[in-house]
Amino acid sequence: QVQLVEAGGGLVQAGDSLILSCKVSGLIFSRYALGWFRQDPGKERKFVANISWNKNITYYANSVKGRFTVTRDNAKSTVYLQMNGLKPEDAAVYYCAAGRRAYVSRLESADVGSWGQGTQVIVSS
């Protein structure tokens, strides 16, 4: 019933920028933490970034700090991931995620209730 529809993936060169978006329905968007995870073939899905349900508190994996920015637009029920200075190691399928419970700030893997379908980011060296 909860749906997360992602868009914005594609093929870019190292050093380029890309923005991902995730439109959410089926829950009261403004009450939930939203986040992004990524997964390479043969590897586990890992945390990238998330934003709290309110106050715009953000969290980032060390590997993307200073390069990626997560934002949300409650009026559009959409969460974004702005990715700058992309590196080959950033290539992965990126998944949007919504919290299992409302009123949460930090969103780790165990906190996720719903996932998007994934959007692929390819970074050429």
Side-chain angles (χ1 to χ4, degrees), residues 44-113:
E44 295 183 343
R45 191 171 299 182
K46 292 188 174 182
F47 172 81
V48 176
N50 89 267
I51 186 165
S52 61
W53 74 277
N54 74 338
K55 300 181 180 180
N56 290 325
I57 302 168
T58 55
Y59 306 85
Y60 298 95
N62 287 336
S63 59
V64 306
K65 285 181 180 177
R67 298 189 298 119
F68 289 12
T69 304
V70 60
T71 58
R72 66 189 296 159
D73 186 339
N74 287 350
K76 296 181 178 180
S77 296
T78 301
V79 61
Y80 304 90
L81 184 67
Q82 176 68 54
M83 304 184 291
N84 297 328
L86 284 163
K87 304 175 180 180
E89 52 262 44
D90 293 320
V93 176
Y94 283 71
Y95 296 89
C96 180
R100 185 181 304 277
R101 302 175 183 176
Y103 311 115
V104 168
S105 291
R106 188 74 172 88
L107 187 68
E108 298 181 303
S109 182
D111 304 314
V112 175

Side-chain angles (χ1 to χ4, degrees), residues 25-47:
S25 62
L27 52 73
I28 303 175
F29 183 87
S30 62
R31 298 182 182 180
Y32 285 82
L34 285 303
W36 294 91
F37 294 72
R38 66 189 183 189
Q39 186 171 24
D40 253 344
K43 295 186 177 181
E44 295 183 343
R45 191 171 299 182
K46 292 188 174 182
F47 172 81

